[in-house]
């Protein structure tokens, strides 16, 4: 399977898009590794396991918007019609903030 042709003068744009995708991959792998570490290092109880599973799920789930964004941006760059994904970025930011607040609540409400 061959890649679509790249318009002249946009090689740097496509490379920047690929670097952005790889940053998503690194972040997802970090979440997955952190979830695994939390599951293994936190004392055995429901909260530690739940927190580990949530982090692993978030890491795996990050790959869907990552690949969709990469593909959309690649097509837009080739077509010369790129516009930043404002709604996607806003939704992802809101999810991260909600997750941070939920995890903070788990930490604060967890019996010591």
């Amino acid at each position: 399977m061959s890649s679509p042709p790249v318009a002249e003068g946009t090689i740097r744009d496509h490379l920047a898009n690929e670097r952005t995708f790889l940053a998503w991959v690194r972040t997802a792998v970090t979440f997955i590794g952190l979830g695994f570490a939390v599951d293994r290092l936190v004392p055995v109880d429901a909260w530690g396991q739940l927190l580990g599973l949530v982090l692993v799920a978030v890491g795996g789930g990050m790959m869907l918007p990552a690949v969709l964004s990469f593909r959309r941006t690649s097509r837009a760059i080739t077509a010369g019609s790129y516009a930043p994904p404002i709604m996607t970025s806003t939704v992802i930011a809101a999810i991260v903030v909600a997750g941070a607040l939920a995890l903070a609540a788990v930490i604060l409400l967890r019996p010591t």
Side-chain angles (χ1 to χ4, degrees):
M1 183 168 162
S2 64
S3 299
V6 176
E8 186 66 33
T10 62
I11 298 292
R12 294 179 73 174
D13 295 328
H14 284 282
L15 292 173
N17 185 35
E18 186 171 348
R19 285 190 302 272
T20 301
F21 175 73
L22 293 174
W24 278 88
V25 171
R26 283 190 307 272
T27 303
V29 169
T30 300
F31 269 89
I32 292 167
L34 182 59
F36 181 77
V38 165
D39 181 59
R40 297 295 173 209
L41 298 176
V42 171
V44 178
D45 66 356
W47 288 111
Q49 187 175 29
L50 177 63
L51 180 57
L53 285 172
V54 167
L55 289 169
V56 169
V58 167
M62 290 178 99
M63 291 313 301
L64 180 61
V67 76
L68 292 176
S69 176
F70 174 78
R71 293 175 57 87
R72 182 189 69 78
T73 301
S74 181
R75 285 191 304 269
I77 290 170
T78 301
S81 63
Y82 175 77
I86 295 169
M87 182 55 79
T88 303
S89 298
T90 303
V91 168
I92 290 172
I95 290 170
V96 170
V97 168
L101 291 173
L103 291 175
V106 167
I107 291 168
L108 292 173
L109 298 174
R110 185 173 166 176
T112 55

